[in-house]
Amino acid sequence: MNKDIEKICLRKKTIAAGVRRAAHWLDQQLCGCAKTPLFIAVLKGSVIFFCDLVRAMKTPVQMSFMTVSSYGSGTESSGVPKITTDLSVDVAGRDVVLIEDIVDSGHTLLALKTFFEQRGVTSFRTVTLLDKPSRRKIPINADYSCFKIGDEFIVGYGLDYNEMHRTLPYIGILKKDIHIGTK
Ligand code: IMP
Ligand code: MG
């Protein structure tokens, strides 16, 4: 186990099973769509989940990417997410599925939902790998969440701390002395 990790909370096999369940749910949800659904990964945290998820699905999908920064100058969330890399495709009239790494305060999810609804999508669904319901500041939930976790700062399988630990194959709780005072 990595020296910065306190405890593993989701192992590789557990994550893979959660990804398969989400893929099955999405296949069922999207089977009536007239056009190919457009899947959008919120970079960078969701990218590993995104790649595994679209390959576990039977439905063919188109892929696009956007970057959203929820941090101000420090490590605490500013509460005002900024879209720092916009989409290169027109989403009007599309069935959009947004893939998130984690829903924490809910600020990012609300900002993205508002953004897509203003752009005239046919349908909009959100799928998150992780959900921290006890941290919510905005009453909003993803349509599908693979795993609920407690109020711990976690890394791995795409999620980072200061750009570190994204490539860990498991999701683990970061040692407190490493992230003290951060979100
Ligand atoms: P929000 O607070 O729901 O807007 O979440 C904002 C973003 O904070 C998420 O998309 C993650 O990138 C990041 N985040 C929240 N909790 C964690 C965590 O435990 N580990 C790593 N990143 C996190
Ligand atoms: Mg994120």
Side-chain angles (χ1 to χ4, degrees):
M1 190 166 76
N2 185 284
K3 64 172 177 37
D4 293 349
I5 304 299
E6 179 84 54
K7 189 182 148 204
I8 295 177
C9 49
L10 294 166
R11 293 184 181 278
K12 201 175 162 179
K13 274 193 173 173
T14 311
I15 298 169
V19 171
R20 281 196 298 274
R21 286 192 295 271
H24 180 66
W25 182 82
L26 282 161
D27 280 329
Q28 286 181 322
Q29 291 281 312
L30 300 168
C31 62
C33 291
K35 282 189 194 165
T36 306
L38 178 64
F39 273 49
I40 299 169
V42 183
L43 298 176
K44 302 173 197 167
S46 76
V47 77
I48 292 178
F49 172 48
F50 183 85
C51 293
D52 284 346
L53 183 65
V54 293
R55 291 179 300 165
M57 288 176 62
K58 292 194 173 86
T59 314
V61 306
Q62 290 178 3
M63 306 195 300
S64 200
F65 303 90
M66 66 194 297
T67 311
V68 179
S69 165
S70 60
Y71 292 94
S73 51
T75 45
E76 264 296 318
S77 169
S78 63
V80 190
K82 284 189 197 74
I83 292 166
T84 46
T85 310
D86 201 349
L87 292 163
S88 52
V89 288
D90 183 6
V91 295
R94 302 296 304 267
D95 293 292
V96 171
V97 180
L98 187 84
I99 308 299
E100 261 284 21
D101 53 354
I102 186 164
V103 181
D104 186 42
S105 68
H107 282 296
T108 308
L109 196 58
L110 177 67
L112 287 166
K113 198 167 190 259
T114 311
F115 173 88
F116 282 101
E117 281 169 359
Q118 285 169 350
R119 290 194 172 189
V121 294
T122 296
S123 68
F124 182 69
R125 292 177 179 84
T126 52
V127 172
T128 186
L129 173 67
L130 301 166
D131 185 12
K132 278 188 194 174
S134 65
R135 295 259 310 171
R136 208 70 97 246
K137 291 195 176 120
I138 311 266
I140 189 168
N141 288 311
D143 297 305
Y144 188 97
S145 134
C146 296
F147 302 102
K148 286 197 191 331
I149 57 166
D151 184 7
E152 309 273 11
F153 196 91
I154 48 87
V155 293
Y157 195 67
L159 289 107
D160 74 310
Y161 173 68
N162 280 349
E163 293 299 325
M164 293 301 292
H165 304 310
R166 289 194 197 275
T167 56
L168 292 175
Y170 53 81
I171 291 169
I173 298 170
L174 194 67
K175 283 184 181 161
K176 286 241 160 48
D177 56 328
I178 295 177
H179 71 100
I180 218 94
T182 66
K183 192 163 107 82

